[in-house]
Structure formats: structure tokens, C-alpha cells
Amino acid sequence: MSGKQDIRPVRVLPEDVANKIAAGEVVERPASVVKELLENSLDAGASRIIVRLVAAGRRTIEVIDNGHGMSEQDALLAIERHATSKIRKAEDIDNIVTMGFRGEALPSIASVSRFELVTRRAKDEHATRIRIEGGVLRDVSQTSAPPGTRVTVNRLYFNTPVRAKFLKGITTELSQSIDIVQRHALSSPGVAFQFVHNEKLLFDIPENTTLVDRIALLWGLGFAEDLVELHGEGAGLTFVGYIGTPSLTRSARTHQYLFFNGRPVVNRSLQYGFEDGYRGLLTVGRRPVGIIMISASPRLVDVNIHPSKREIRFRDEQAARQALREAVRKRLEQLTRVAEPSRVSSERNETGSESTIEVSRESFTSPMAGAPGRDRWETQPPEAVPRAPAPGIQPALDPLPPAQTEFAGVRAAPEREEAPHVEPRAFHASLGRVGEVPMQIFDTYLLVPEEDRLLIIDQHALHERLTYDNLLADLQDSDYEAQQLIVPILIDVPPSYVKVLQEHFELFRKLGIEIEPFGGNTFQVTALCHLYEDSAIPNVVHRVLDTLAQGDLFNQEEIVSDLLRLTVEACRSSVKGGDRLSPEERRELLEGFRRLRPPYTCPHGRPIITELTQLQMEKSFRRRQ
Ligand code: ADP
Ligand code: MG
């Protein structure tokens, strides 16, 4: 940020520059106001920023900084349209390093609110106070205030009621503002951030805390412990940050934070590149977690395509995607090892083929493991990972798909990464004769020959599904009734979620999870529906909170199925791939399959059954074309 060393006076943009810059909506919602004000404070070289909201910003949004402040003359200019201290000539636009540069945030905000700006430079004796109501300048006066700037935005959209109607609920609006502040808190390590909502301090990040400490302050120690450091480069980009081990995932992309040259950004190619790096390592529907700082010459990107400047576009999008994918991949390869042939895991990759990837927990070095641990991965040379696998050893990860495939879009969009499609109608059929014992191969699959095809069932996937269905049926009978726990389960939640959790005790209670405050960020589960697995609870509570904080439509069924899924996972009795089964067990499983209703997938969405048809076989033997 150039703020500190170079205080330029505010000036009105010449018209051609103003026109060259895409104009657009600045003030979409409270969070957009928070973002603009925050970025101005950072541009002003602030080292302490307080964001204060009342009623999720609908009533009040206030941002207070200790930045360089403005003279009275500059403050008056700042509220004029296209007044900015950050650009003089059109060419400057390519070299922007500050956050804001269009000079329209303050006037736009002031035109739809009751707006007050109080600002003072350290060298001035008095502060300037400017009040604007719905775009009308009401008052300019002198007042006393510490050096820095305070912008207060009251009653946003009071004069545009239609706009106000489009605002979402408090939780949604609040979580969006929290998200904005969190992003900045992650990318500005030298700056202290406080976030206050309805006079409650939601988070408090001191100045000069490291990135990983900031992460821990925002999302908890457990989260930070499952991250590993990332260092990589390619295509003129440098990547530095923390990425989750494959065991740390979310059901949405809530914890994927990308920053470009210190600014939070959105870019699909990077996002896909990041997720591509985890290909084959995550269960269907799970999203990896990462906080990645990307740096490069600003000339490599076009930052101005989105009016709120969050979206960036690279001159070469594919190269950027590939570079990040490879950096992530390389890092993850350091965590994986080839499973011994006797312990082939039944984990499937997204092509549905058997994969021998096994992630070794021991090889994860947590960033929170203290200073020695941190040194260890900083000094761990990337060469420690063999580039080409020795002959006879399987590569730890699938080779990357060729670039052409990506262009063809075949595997490009992660949304399309689904379990291989299996015709559902196909398996309604007789499925062999009742009472028959299916054959087992590779200690993992059951074979059921039929007239014109061979059905192949994944025993583990099937068993999981049956367990899941049974639990679900039991649950429907017992009505989520919670039973008192002898030892309560303690759950730590990130400070930003404390409020969200408190507001949803009733919801959890309805699901058979009774939660009470324990003090600070800690809560205790005192009673639990007996069907849930105890150890799954903290995980589920976090997931529910993520969903709630995102403001996603809350779906009770999904939460319950999440709970059960985790319970099934924790089920020791589960039949695993690699278990030799007795004829009795095999027959029972097959009977279970007959009772199933489509879709024929396990609780994680992996297929249970596939088929090899007579036609396919005949083709392989060239008996047919
Ligand atoms: P932009 O940030 O695009 O220049 P804004 O409308 O956000 O436009 O702000 C206009 C000008 O007001 C800025 O260029 C800056 O000089 C000044 N300004 C705004 N907020 C602050 C602040 N918190 N501290 C110091 N100066 C500020
Ligand atoms: Mg600005």
C-alpha cells in the first residue's frame, strides 16, 4: 500500500480517465459499503481499523481508522464524484497498487444514507466533520478527533426503499460483512482489526500477527492445525499461503481465499486450479480449504472487469490455472505416500477407478506445531519429492490430465466432477437369484452374473449405504430425542461464529443436539440423540455454522444426513474394501441391495454398483463392432 509514504492530495479526475474506468454499482449492500470504507482505510495507511455494525449494517456501518486522514479541502473533494487521490493519468490505471481508484465510493454511499465523515491529519489541530443526507451536503464543521478518519453510515437506503427491500436477513448480511473484513484481515498482516456487531466484539486481531495466527483467531486452532504451508510459482505468478490437508474440507467454497498482490480477489481459473490440485484426494462434494497469496506484476492482469474490483482476469487464464494446480499438487504430493499393495485403500478417485492414494497423517506437519515444525517445512526442499516415480512404483497421484482435455472443457468445471453415471433403471432387475451367494473378488467387489451382464458391487459402499438407511429409519421413529450425556462434549467455535451459534440453539435442539454456552468461544453439548456418533458432533456443528454464516438456505434434512454420514463413517463395524467376507455376509449384503432404492450410491455419493455387459465383452474380444 502506498498510503504512508506518499500522501497525494485528492483531485477531481479528468473526464477521459473517469470514462475509461468502468462505472458500476458500488453500494450493493452493507457489505459493499464495509468493503469500500475498509479499503480506503487501508489505502490511507491505517494500522488499526475498527468496523462497527448495528443490525448487520442496516442501521449503522462505521469504519474508524488511524490512517493519514484528510485536510478539510481534501475531505470536501473526496465526497465529489470522481474525486480520487489515486490516479492522475489514464496510464496510471495499469499500475494501481491501492485498493480503490475510481473516486466514487464515498459520494455513492453518501447519496443513499445519512453519512458522516470525521477526519484529521496528524499535523492539523482540528478535525473536519462533514454531514451528508441522501446526497445533500448538510453541514461542514470543525470538531476534535484523534488523527485518522471515521466514516459513519446510518440508515443505508433510507431514501431508496426499493433497494432496502432487497436486503437479505440479518445473518446473511452480517456474514457477508464478516467475510469482507476477514479477507482483509488475512491479507494485511500489519494491521489490527476489530469487528463489532450490536456492541459485541466478534473478533479482535492484533497488529502484526502472522497469517497462521490470524487464521487461528478467525476459525480456531483446530482449523489451523490441519493446514500446511504452500510455496510455489509458475506462469510468472508466485503462490504463498496455507492449504488444507485433504482431511480438512468444507461442503462449499467458504474457506477458499485468494489474494492478488495483497488484495482479496475472485478468479475462476485460480479457483479451479486450486481444486484441480486436490483431484482424486477428496470425497465427492467436498471442497478444499486454502488461503493463498498470489503475486505478480499488475500488468499480467486486468483488475477492472468488475466494478467492485474483486474479480480479476489474467492475460493467460489457462496458464494461471495450471500454475496453481501444479503448485498445490506438488505440495500435496509431499504429504502422500504409496500404499503397500496389501493395504490398498478403497478410496476412489473421480474417474471411479481404484486408486492407491493414501494420505499419511504422520507426514503432515502442522503449521501450529510450533516453531520447530514451522522451520521444518520451510526448509524442506521440494526436491525431497521424487519427480518421476522409480520403476515399479505407482505414482502417488494420478498424472495430471493433458491440457487439451481442460480446453475441451471435459474436466474443466469441478461442478461436473461427479461419480460416473450409472444407469439407474438397469439395477431394478432381478439381480441374480434370491438366496444366491455372490462371488467376491479382490476382497472388495461382489460379482452377480445375470443373463446379459455382470453386475459389480462395491461391498464397502453398499454397506455404508445400508447402515445409513437403517440409521435414518431409526431416527424417523425416535424423533431426534436427545439423551443426557454423562460427559458433555466441548466445542470451540471461531469467535465470528459465537453469535450465530447462540442464535441457533433451538435449531440444534430440534435436531437432537442440546448445546449450552460454556464460556468464551467454548460451548458444550449436554444431550445428544443416541443415534449420532459423539465424535462426529464438533465437525457437524462447524459445518452447520458454516452453512448458517454463509446465509445459505438452511435445510434440516441435509444437516441430519450430514450427521448420519459422519456417524456411518465413524462406524467401526463397517465392512471395508479389503475385507474377506463369509458366504453368509455376502448373501446378506446382496439381500440388502435388493431393498435399496435408487440412487445407488453410498452416503458420500460414490456409486455402489456398476456393470459389465455382454456387449462390452464381445466388443473387447472383437466378436462385435
Ligand atoms: P477512491 O478510493 O476510489 O479514490 P473514494 O470515494 O473511496 O474513492 O475516496 C475518495 C478519496 O477520499 C480517496 O481517494 C482518498 O484520497 C480519500 N479518502 C477516502 N477515505 C479515506 C480515509 N479513510 N482516509 C484518508 N483518505 C480517505
Ligand atoms: Mg475507495
Side-chain angles (χ1 to χ4, degrees):
M1 248 134 285
S2 66
K4 246 173 196 158
Q5 68 276 20
D6 173 21
I7 306 174
R8 301 174 177 181
V10 182
R11 58 188 62 222
V12 176
L13 284 177
E15 215 40 49
D16 69 315
V17 181
N19 290 341
K20 196 175 173 205
I21 301 169
E25 291 286 356
V26 193
V27 207
E28 224 181 318
R29 53 172 6 109
S32 344
V33 175
V34 169
K35 172 179 171 297
E36 294 293 341
L37 298 182
L38 206 58
E39 293 185 348
N40 282 348
S41 296
L42 290 167
D43 285 346
S47 64
R48 270 196 74 75
I49 300 176
I50 302 170
V51 178
R52 199 174 68 84
L53 305 187
V54 179
R58 291 166 148 225
R59 184 161 311 177
T60 305
I61 301 168
E62 186 168 70
V63 175
I64 306 165
D65 69 50
N66 65 350
H68 59 56
M70 285 175 271
S71 67
E72 178 178 315
Q73 195 198 2
D74 281 353
L76 281 168
L77 260 179
I79 51 165
E80 301 267 346
R81 206 155 196 91
H82 298 307
T84 178
S85 55
K86 298 165 195 167
I87 301 183
R88 283 158 215 210
K89 307 186 299 299
E91 301 85 80
D92 283 347
I93 295 169
D94 281 342
N95 287 312
I96 292 297
V97 285
T98 54
M99 309 253 176
F101 55 82
R102 288 161 300 112
E104 58 187 341
L106 293 187
S108 307
I109 296 165
S111 67
V112 290
S113 66
R114 301 202 167 103
F115 175 97
E116 185 181 271
L117 170 76
V118 175
T119 186
R120 189 191 136 198
R121 296 183 298 183
K123 64 178 173 198
D124 294 337
E125 204 179 322
H126 294 289
T128 305
R129 188 175 86 130
I130 297 177
R131 282 196 311 115
I132 302 174
E133 256 186 54
V136 180
L137 183 62
R138 291 284 181 207
D139 174 48
V140 181
S141 56
Q142 279 193 343
T143 179
S144 62
T149 303
R150 186 183 80 209
V151 176
T152 313
V153 177
N154 283 314
R155 304 276 172 190
L156 188 63
Y157 308 132
F158 80 98
N159 55 349
T160 52
V162 179
R163 234 8 212 304
K165 271 207 194 114
F166 281 105
L167 289 177
K168 303 238 173 78
I170 295 275
T171 319
T172 310
E173 296 296 346
L174 178 62
S175 70
Q176 301 214 2
S177 290
I178 290 178
D179 186 67
I180 298 278
V181 184
Q182 285 182 339
R183 281 174 196 275
H184 284 291
L186 290 172
S187 55
S188 313
V191 182
F193 288 87
Q194 285 190 335
F195 191 104
V196 179
H197 183 243
N198 293 348
E199 308 309 326
K200 270 194 220 124
L201 185 62
L202 292 195
F203 57 83
D204 184 4
I205 294 175
E207 218 171 309
N208 294 323
T209 31
T210 61
L211 177 58
V212 72
D213 287 341
R214 281 170 187 250
I215 294 170
L217 282 167
L218 293 175
W219 298 306
L221 215 62
F223 184 94
E225 269 167 0
D226 264 337
L227 298 172
V228 292
E229 215 176 4
L230 175 77
H231 282 287
E233 55 190 5
L237 307 174
T238 310
F239 308 106
V240 176
Y242 292 92
I243 61 173
T245 63
S247 61
L248 179 67
T249 60
R250 289 289 183 271
S251 56
R253 300 190 169 107
T254 46
H255 292 72
Q256 296 180 4
Y257 290 91
L258 298 174
F259 302 89
F260 184 76
N261 289 350
R263 189 171 62 204
V265 291
V266 176
N267 176 273
R268 291 232 125 188
S269 299
L270 286 177
Q271 185 198 327
Y272 288 162
F274 173 62
E275 294 194 344
D276 287 348
Y278 285 81
R279 184 161 284 174
L281 292 174
L282 306 183
T283 312
V284 180
R286 303 301 297 169
R287 303 290 179 188
V289 158
I291 296 96
I292 305 175
M293 312 289 165
I294 301 126
S295 47
S297 155
R299 292 181 183 284
L300 280 178
V301 301
D302 177 8
V303 278
N304 205 27
I305 63 165
H306 191 273
S308 64
K309 296 162 290 163
R310 272 189 55 188
E311 192 151 340
I312 57 166
R313 182 170 293 151
F314 290 96
R315 304 261 189 257
D316 186 349
E317 287 278 305
Q318 280 300 327
R321 173 174 177 169
Q322 199 153 329
L324 181 53
R325 172 179 64 189
E326 257 144 49
V328 169
R329 197 91 176 164
K330 220 184 237 171
R331 184 64 183 102
L332 294 176
E333 273 174 10
Q334 296 172 14
L335 310 176
T336 57
R337 64 178 162 77
V338 181
E340 308 95 78
S342 59
R343 289 190 53 226
V344 171
S345 93
S346 65
E347 186 74 18
R348 282 159 172 275
N349 60 27
E350 80 284 352
T351 58
S353 61
E354 191 81 341
S355 116
T356 52
I357 296 168
E358 196 157 282
V359 176
S360 126
R361 282 291 312 189
E362 314 89 74
S363 68
F364 294 159
T365 313
S366 151
M368 296 305 288
R374 210 171 297 186
D375 287 341
R376 226 178 306 146
W377 19 257
E378 266 163 14
T379 53
Q380 186 178 4
E383 300 81 65
V385 183
R387 295 223 151 201
I393 298 178
Q394 275 214 249
L397 290 167
D398 294 334
L400 295 171
Q404 290 93 310
T405 334
E406 306 281 82
F407 282 117
V410 177
R411 310 180 60 172
E415 279 80 13
R416 294 193 206 156
E417 267 178 43
E418 274 161 16
H421 183 66
V422 192
E423 280 283 280
R425 54 132 205 111
F427 306 112
H428 287 300
S430 55
L431 208 80
R433 269 177 288 118
V434 176
E436 201 172 38
V437 175
M439 184 183 166
Q440 186 189 29
I441 55 165
F442 313 143
D443 292 346
T444 300
Y445 303 106
L446 305 180
L447 301 185
V448 184
E450 286 193 327
E451 200 149 290
D452 58 352
R453 62 179 175 175
L454 176 64
L455 298 176
I456 306 160
I457 294 174
D458 180 318
Q459 64 188 38
H460 176 56
L462 171 57
H463 190 268
E464 277 197 340
R465 169 68 186 275
L466 294 173
T467 314
Y468 176 87
D469 283 4
N470 285 340
L471 285 173
L472 193 64
D474 287 354
L475 201 55
Q476 271 146 9
D477 295 343
S478 69
D479 217 12
Y480 309 116
E481 204 185 313
Q483 284 155 7
Q484 218 59 37
L485 292 172
I486 301 166
V487 184
I489 304 168
L490 293 186
I491 303 177
D492 283 333
V493 305
S496 56
Y497 283 177
V498 167
K499 191 169 160 51
V500 184
L501 181 53
Q502 281 166 346
E503 281 169 0
H504 290 90
F505 285 157
E506 180 57 23
L507 169 87
F508 281 103
R509 206 186 52 76
K510 279 198 193 130
L511 295 174
I513 306 171
E514 281 177 23
I515 304 182
E516 293 169 10
F518 189 75
N521 302 339
T522 309
F523 292 82
Q524 55 175 341
V525 177
T526 51
L528 194 62
C529 167
H530 73 287
L531 289 169
Y532 301 146
E533 174 64 34
D534 290 16
S535 62
I537 292 302
N539 211 340
V540 167
V541 171
H542 280 120
R543 268 196 228 179
V544 175
L545 289 176
D546 279 345
T547 319
L548 292 170
Q550 272 307 99
D552 290 350
L553 239 189
F554 180 69
N555 180 342
Q556 181 161 327
E557 257 167 53
E558 251 175 54
I559 304 286
V560 170
S561 79
D562 228 18
L563 273 162
L564 292 184
R565 236 194 317 264
L566 288 166
T567 303
V568 170
E569 259 167 55
C571 228
R572 292 256 160 63
S573 69
S574 199
V575 169
K576 298 282 179 336
D579 283 351
R580 182 150 307 160
L581 304 178
S582 71
E584 191 46 41
E585 288 170 315
R586 281 181 261 153
R587 207 188 50 223
E588 242 171 61
L589 271 177
L590 191 60
E591 293 308 321
F593 185 89
R594 289 202 170 86
R595 292 193 303 268
L596 279 192
R597 280 197 234 151
Y600 297 109
T601 54
C602 81
H604 307 92
R606 293 191 295 255
I608 291 174
I609 189 166
T610 185
E611 65 180 354
L612 187 58
T613 64
Q614 192 177 1
L615 187 69
Q616 286 170 315
M617 285 190 223
E618 285 172 353
K619 279 186 176 166
S620 329
F621 293 110
R622 308 248 173 90
R623 286 167 174 274
R624 285 217 210 181
Q625 278 306 307

